[in-house]
Every structure is written in structure tokens, then in C-alpha cells.
Amino acid sequence: MPTITFVQPTGHSDTVTVSEKTSSLMRAAVANGVEGIVGECGGQAMCATCHVYIRPEFEDALPEISEDEDEMLDCTTAERTNRSRLGCQVSVGAHLETIIVDVPTDQV
Ligand code: FES
């Protein structure tokens, strides 16, 4: 089962283990009450409140950023960097059993 670690700006981290059926980083965070991941639009890539920073060692395991995700990443409250992704667009599962992401300082 996929294990995801969310690291807060304070350094506090939450590690959650989720079912293979959990579709995304955003859903894993919301289902486990992880602070700082809102997911306001429900995963439609329309709000950017699921913004996360992917740790560099996991970048190669992720799909390319779609045009819609790229446009929405320009709307994040916290600074967009080359590690930014929308948590709702990053799926977890057999292809990605473990990942560590940093939670931004602000989402809204
Ligand atoms: Fe809205 Fe990801 S939940 S963009």
C-alpha cells in the first residue's frame, strides 16, 4: 500500500498509508486530515488548493504536467517552483509506493 509523507513548513510531518484505491496525493491528505491541503474543487484541477512541492528524488516517477495543471499552478498562493505539482493530479499506487512532499506555507 502506498505511503505518503507530508512535511509541513514547521518541519512536522504526517506519514499516511493509503489504499491502492486512493486516487491522489490530495485525496490521501484530505482523508487523513493532513493540515494545509484543502482540495477545494474536489480534484478537478480548478483551485490550486492542493499545491505541494515534490521532493526531487521522486520527480522521475511522476507523469508530465498537463496543460490544465500547468495553467493552474500559475495560480498557487505560495510561490510556484520547479518542484510544484497539484496534489490532485499526482496519483499513487503500484507505480509510486512511497513519496515525500512538502506542504506550502499557504493554500488560500
Ligand atoms: Fe483543486 Fe487540486 S483539488 S486543483
Side-chain angles (χ1 to χ4, degrees):
M1 298 211 302
T3 300
I4 307 159
T5 299
F6 295 91
V7 183
Q8 299 291 334
T10 60
H12 170 81
S13 65
D14 296 295
T15 298
V16 301
T17 299
V18 297
S19 150
E20 296 277 346
K21 294 177 183 167
T22 301
S23 56
S24 70
L25 296 180
M26 180 278 282
R27 292 211 180 278
V30 170
N32 287 280
V34 174
E35 191 177 340
I37 306 292
V38 180
E40 197 169 272
C41 75
Q44 301 301 309
M46 296 178 66
C47 72
T49 64
C50 60
H51 180 204
V52 294
Y53 299 116
I54 304 293
R55 292 278 173 104
E57 60 267 38
F58 301 101
E59 286 177 8
D60 290 346
L62 304 187
E64 293 289 314
I65 297 176
S66 70
E67 193 173 318
D68 287 347
E69 183 179 2
D70 188 41
E71 284 179 16
M72 193 49 60
L73 282 169
D74 285 337
C75 303
T76 56
T77 299
E79 180 186 6
R80 177 181 182 173
T81 74
N82 60 3
R83 297 196 297 120
S84 290
R85 294 297 299 259
L86 296 180
C88 67
Q89 302 301 301
V90 177
S91 63
V92 292
H95 64 292
L96 189 62
E97 282 285 339
T98 303
I99 188 167
I100 303 171
V101 303
D102 294 294
V103 177
T105 52
D106 300 295
Q107 292 286 20
V108 291

